[in-house]
Amino acid sequence: NTVNSGVTIPSPGTLTGFIWSYNNVVTSTNNVDTVVGPFTISGRYEYVASYNTPCGILQDTAVIDVLLPLVISDDTTICQGESVDLTVEFPGTGPWTIVVSDGGPTDTITGIAGLTFTHTDTPMVTTTYYVHSYWGTNNFIVDNFDSATVTVILTPLVDLGPDQTICEGDSITLSAAGPVATDLVFSEYGEGSSNNKAIELFNGTSDTIDLANYRINQSVNGGGWQYEHYFPAGAKLNPGQIWVMVADQMSSAYFDIALADEVLSYPSVVHHNGDDARGLEVTTDSGTTWTLIDIIGDPDNDPGTGWDVAGVSAATANHTLIRKPEVLAPNTDWLVVAGTDPASSEYIVHPVNYYDNLGMHTMNIDFGVGNTYLWSNGDSTESITVMPTTTTTYSVTVTNATGCYSVDSVTIHVNPTPVVNLGPNTTFCNTESLTLDAGAGFASYLWSDLSTGQTLVLDSFNLTVGTHTISVTVTDTNGCEGVGSVEITMADCTGLNNLSLSKALKFYPNPNTGNFFMEVNGINGEMIIRMTNTTGHMIYNETINVTGQMMKELHIEGAAAGLYYLQVIHNGSRFTEKIIVK
């Protein structure tokens, strides 16, 4: 019996002199219906009726199994990610089997030896827990003695992204704005007993979705995509709205099919077995091409009974799958969707015929309404712009209107700015050359005259008399840039020697193939011969001694066709000749 009040035991006969006893203690001495109880402790009560006769004692036993109501903790509210301890009070010692269940994994206590025990869980969504009890080995069940609902308040979604690297002196903007839903998703899939089957879609975006642009592709036993389900004409889903499809023979004990958007007869998209894949597709050109955006199962492989999900074997058969609140986007990678354990999966797995949530879906989208922000640098805005001088970690705490919060952090690595030293400000004669060196080891160089070498040769050809600012931008191997500059003054030191030098030199043939002659007349001493291309890059440099008259053959190996400048320097005089290589 399931009683917590008195129980009437009918009289065992018409004779007088009966003695009622419990645990050898006399409780009554009459032959009328006997009331025992009320009971304050659950257990097995055996009342014995005895009657003395000349031939001995006659006895009969009335057995009363008493299960008093279980008491579970009161309804409570927690933030997502927190654990909850539900205390079950049980006024008795057993032998009992106590089961606490939320439709998912159960917490079973057998042969409980105390009056209370605690069930600990971390629900992802609002969940009702039911307490069940069984008596001894008789499997005598009293169902739903008590229940407790744990309301789960979603925490704000905050993702500052991966760690980043910037160059010294650069700024970067960090945003704590939560991600947003991108498209329609499968939000629930149910493969129940018989024809208790359902599929649910959810629109978590901020736009109204026209279902004319969507369809569900179907696979049977790993045979690839074979059939398509199109939605009724004019069907649309507003932001936050759900679309429910069920089999027409679904039991009302699990779901009222009058609440469904589509009730489908066999064969249909919801008449699936555990090894039948389903794929959500979208078109952007009125059905000419379709693109898969979300998937349940593998259309090209038959797993046998069903695919494993969240570490649950064959979970797509005889289970209900509910998409986690933090899943904001569809996903075509079934291995990632299914995951290998409850933490990595995009779904929560519930037992067969669990449809308490069908027609309701929770997605962690609040668009920042009512959120407050606190950054590690003291700022309280949704986004901040920072310019760290050294590698720095920034964190933010986002708290929503209900007081639930999330924390995320990101590390900004700072690479140093390359240092360029072109030396002091310099003055030189227009009859000379000056070489500036930006330093070795950089990935690239860009001078103010657009040349790209490590060094820059300045002379009367690429510089005029006067003061000039010469700069170079170098790029380090880490991508950071540095700039160096210097003031160069070219003085006019030209004299008659330059005219004499021009008369003493002849070059031929010109144009040539890179091989030509230089004829020298009436000059003695050291002579420098240099040849550069139009970007200032030196491709030939030689110092020779001249005695009066001589012929010098020049070989410019590997010179590409184009214009070059040949410079001759002698006793402070400089002469430049244009050389054309064919």
Side-chain angles (χ1 to χ4, degrees):
N1 297 288
T2 59
V3 295
N4 60 0
S5 60
V7 174
T8 299
I9 303 176
S11 171
T14 58
L15 300 175
T16 60
F18 281 96
I19 298 174
W20 285 100
S21 63
Y22 174 71
N23 288 342
N24 296 320
V25 176
V26 175
T27 60
S28 176
T29 57
N30 57 62
N31 66 336
V32 297
D33 293 348
T34 300
V35 177
V36 295
F39 302 95
T40 59
I41 298 177
S42 297
R44 170 160 289 184
Y45 296 82
E46 296 184 355
Y47 288 87
V48 178
S50 301
Y51 181 70
N52 293 318
T53 71
C55 298
I57 299 176
L58 298 178
Q59 288 185 339
D60 193 18
T61 301
V63 177
I64 303 174
D65 288 335
V66 176
L67 295 180
L68 297 181
L70 296 168
V71 179
I72 196 169
S73 301
D74 293 336
D75 295 348
T76 188
T77 299
I78 64 172
C79 294
Q80 186 184 36
E82 294 179 347
S83 296
V84 62
D85 293 330
L86 298 174
T87 299
V88 178
E89 297 181 4
F90 181 72
T93 58
W96 309 103
T97 297
I98 310 300
V99 177
V100 180
S101 174
D102 61 346
T106 60
D107 187 358
T108 302
I109 306 296
T110 302
I112 185 170
L115 297 180
T116 63
F117 74 94
T118 300
H119 175 77
T120 300
D121 199 9
T122 307
M124 300 293 294
V125 295
T126 296
T127 303
T128 298
Y129 295 83
Y130 301 95
V131 183
H132 313 265
S133 62
Y134 301 82
W135 164 253
T137 59
N138 296 332
N139 203 30
F140 174 54
I141 182 171
V142 177
D143 202 1
N144 296 349
F145 267 118
D146 198 12
S147 64
T149 297
V150 178
T151 301
V152 178
I153 304 299
L154 297 180
T155 55
L157 284 179
V158 53
D159 183 7
L160 297 180
D163 294 347
Q164 299 191 51
T165 300
I166 64 173
C167 297
E168 184 180 0
D170 289 347
S171 62
I172 186 170
T173 298
L174 305 176
S175 177
V180 297
T182 60
D183 211 329
L184 199 63
V185 298
F186 285 126
S187 51
E188 184 167 337
Y189 160 96
E191 203 288 306
S193 61
S194 186
N195 285 314
N196 297 304
K197 304 174 190 294
I199 288 177
E200 177 189 274
L201 301 172
F202 181 70
N203 176 18
T205 74
S206 57
D207 300 319
T208 297
I209 286 180
D210 187 348
L211 290 182
N213 297 320
Y214 293 80
R215 72 182 184 185
I216 300 178
N217 224 326
Q218 309 170 52
S219 172
V220 178
N221 300 332
W225 297 128
Q226 299 165 289
Y227 311 102
E228 298 84 27
H229 173 81
Y230 294 89
F231 297 96
K236 298 180 185 297
L237 276 182
N238 294 323
Q241 194 172 359
I242 292 168
W243 189 267
V244 176
M245 297 174 287
V246 298
D248 60 353
Q249 296 181 34
M250 189 168 192
S251 171
S252 60
Y254 304 125
F255 185 77
D256 182 358
I257 64 174
L259 301 176
D261 297 283
E262 289 185 82
V263 179
L264 304 171
S265 59
Y266 181 86
S268 78
V269 67
V270 293
H271 286 85
H272 45 256
N273 293 319
D275 58 352
D276 300 330
R278 296 293 183 260
L280 181 62
E281 295 185 323
V282 65
T283 180
T284 57
D285 54 13
S286 301
T288 301
T289 57
W290 291 88
T291 301
L292 183 69
I293 60 171
D294 206 8
I295 198 168
I296 300 173
D298 183 348
D300 300 316
N301 291 285
D302 188 347
T305 302
W307 288 278
D308 297 350
V309 179
V312 178
S313 179
T316 54
N318 297 317
H319 290 87
T320 294
L321 310 181
I322 297 179
R323 211 70 173 263
K324 289 181 178 178
E326 60 266 32
V327 178
L328 306 185
N331 191 345
T332 59
D333 189 336
W334 172 242
L335 294 179
V336 173
V337 172
T340 56
D341 53 37
S344 63
S345 177
E346 292 189 2
Y347 281 98
I348 303 170
V349 180
H350 292 271
V352 64
N353 298 329
Y354 179 82
Y355 290 111
D356 289 2
N357 286 29
L358 188 60
M360 301 177 291
H361 185 65
T362 301
M363 182 177 280
N364 200 343
I365 46 175
D366 58 16
F367 303 107
V369 177
N371 287 350
T372 60
Y373 307 88
L374 180 59
W375 293 85
S376 53
N377 66 351
D379 285 348
S380 57
T381 53
E382 184 179 77
S383 61
I384 60 174
T385 299
V386 294
M387 186 186 293
T389 57
T390 61
T391 295
T392 304
T393 298
Y394 297 88
S395 63
V396 63
T397 300
V398 182
T399 305
N400 62 21
T402 63
C404 294
Y405 66 91
S406 296
V407 180
D408 195 29
S409 62
V410 63
T411 297
I412 308 300
H413 299 275
V414 180
N415 284 331
T417 299
V419 176
V420 184
N421 184 7
L422 296 179
N425 296 339
T426 302
T427 299
F428 75 109
C429 288
N430 63 343
T431 59
E432 302 172 341
S433 66
L434 176 68
T435 300
L436 299 179
D437 192 338
F442 298 115
S444 66
Y445 304 81
L446 181 61
W447 294 86
S448 48
D449 69 346
L450 303 183
S451 59
T452 57
Q454 176 184 328
T455 60
L456 176 66
V457 177
L458 300 175
D459 52 32
S460 59
F461 174 75
N462 55 18
L463 211 62
T464 59
V465 172
T467 299
H468 307 270
T469 298
I470 308 299
S471 64
V472 62
T473 300
V474 300
T475 303
D476 210 341
T477 53
N478 58 25
C480 294
E481 293 183 348
V483 179
S485 63
V486 64
E487 285 192 356
I488 300 297
T489 300
M490 174 179 276
D492 187 0
C493 304
T494 304
L496 295 177
N497 287 337
N498 191 39
L499 179 61
S500 301
L501 188 59
S502 65
K503 293 180 178 180
L505 298 174
K506 292 182 180 180
F507 302 91
Y508 57 88
N510 190 18
N512 56 63
T513 61
N515 298 318
F516 58 97
F517 296 93
M518 180 181 71
E519 183 179 317
V520 182
N521 291 288
I523 293 178
N524 294 295
E526 186 178 85
M527 178 182 290
I528 300 173
I529 306 171
R530 293 174 179 168
M531 191 168 181
T532 61
N533 59 21
T534 55
T535 64
H537 180 67
M538 187 178 299
I539 63 172
Y540 185 87
N541 186 19
E542 185 180 6
T543 300
I544 63 174
N545 287 312
V546 181
T547 56
Q549 184 176 2
M550 67 171 293
M551 181 75 70
K552 172 68 175 174
E553 185 175 1
L554 300 175
H555 301 282
I556 312 302
E557 298 293 340
L563 177 64
Y564 295 85
Y565 301 97
L566 185 68
Q567 298 175 337
V568 177
I569 303 170
H570 176 68
N571 290 338
S573 297
R574 177 188 302 269
F575 175 76
T576 302
E577 179 79 0
K578 294 181 180 179
I579 303 295
I580 298 175
V581 175
K582 297 187 294 183

